[in-house]
Amino acid sequence: MKKITKIAAVLVCGCLLSGCSEKISFMQPRPDFSAGYTVSAEINCGKLEAAADISYIAENDWEFAFTEPKALAGMTLRLNEEGLSGTLGALGFSVDENSEYTLLPEIISEAVEALAKAPAEKRSASDGIITVETEFDGRPVTVTADTSGKLISLKCPHYSLSVNFSNQNKIIASNIPEDMEEEGEEPVVTITPV
């Protein structure tokens, strides 16, 4: 019996030393991407260079608040089940979803949600970075995040799209009195570092 125990211990140590531990993805904790968060994004798409604060509010509910370039600063795009809409200050406007640049929120949101939903066999992990290969409209998209759930990058070569993420923070909705919800007021939101 002691001999079998020693052989088993040697095999386990051998697997760990040979790098098999990296391949055993079911032992790695799966980060929680379902909680709301904000993240800063540097977006490059062809000649467009932009910066935005992106908020993941819930599944299929995203907000893109642009800070750069000057022509887009202050514009907010909201993407949810009703489609894409925009605001600039108090001015609301409809958005043509068929142009290349207005596809960006849809590409980013779908790819990041695919990262959250990807089964273990669709994810690869190396050196603390999770990579998921997904598609948007049949075109390949690659998304990366660290093992704590912080987004790192997104690449979609077909659209010449590259996004670098930083400063990700959780969004925690405060307790909202029921009468506020009925009046349609926006909830108070607190942002805390992850």
Side-chain angles (χ1 to χ4, degrees):
M1 185 65 165
K2 288 181 183 181
K3 212 174 203 182
I4 293 173
T5 305
K6 284 182 185 179
I7 292 171
V10 168
L11 288 174
V12 169
C13 287
C15 283
L16 291 175
L17 292 175
S18 70
C20 290
S21 61
E22 187 68 37
K23 295 177 185 175
I24 305 175
S25 60
F26 63 86
M27 293 184 73
Q28 296 170 350
R30 184 181 177 117
D32 178 18
F33 293 102
S34 63
Y37 57 83
T38 62
V39 64
S40 298
E42 292 176 11
I43 303 167
N44 292 294
C45 184
K47 294 180 180 179
L48 174 70
E49 293 183 9
D53 293 323
I54 300 174
S55 298
Y56 170 75
I57 299 152
E59 188 173 357
N60 299 319
D61 195 357
W62 293 78
E63 189 173 273
F64 296 76
F66 287 89
T67 56
E68 291 180 32
K70 203 171 192 178
L72 295 178
M75 182 177 71
T76 300
L77 296 178
R78 184 78 182 255
L79 178 65
N80 54 31
E81 292 178 354
E82 296 172 9
L84 187 63
S85 60
T87 58
L88 183 59
L91 177 66
F93 55 91
S94 60
V95 179
D96 176 14
E97 295 183 40
N98 297 318
S99 77
E100 185 174 343
Y101 292 139
T102 56
L103 279 177
L104 299 181
E106 196 172 342
I107 296 169
I108 293 168
S109 62
E110 278 191 26
V112 172
E113 287 189 13
L115 171 69
K117 296 174 185 176
E121 62 270 11
K122 295 283 187 181
R123 291 182 290 132
S124 62
S126 178
D127 299 325
I129 296 175
I130 299 168
T131 302
V132 170
E133 301 288 337
T134 184
E135 290 184 353
F136 176 80
D137 203 20
R139 313 291 187 194
V141 182
T142 304
V143 187
T144 60
D146 67 20
T147 52
S148 71
K150 288 188 178 182
L151 297 171
I152 298 172
S153 68
L154 180 147
K155 304 239 183 294
C156 182
H158 177 76
Y159 291 100
S160 302
L161 174 62
S162 170
V163 183
N164 292 315
F165 299 103
S166 61
N167 303 321
Q168 187 166 327
N169 296 301
K170 286 184 181 178
I171 298 176
I172 301 169
S174 300
N175 291 334
I176 306 164
E178 288 181 29
D179 59 337
M180 264 184 82
E181 287 181 349
E182 289 172 11
E183 293 172 15
E185 293 183 28
E186 291 291 319
V188 178
V189 172
T190 304
I191 300 173
T192 57
V194 177

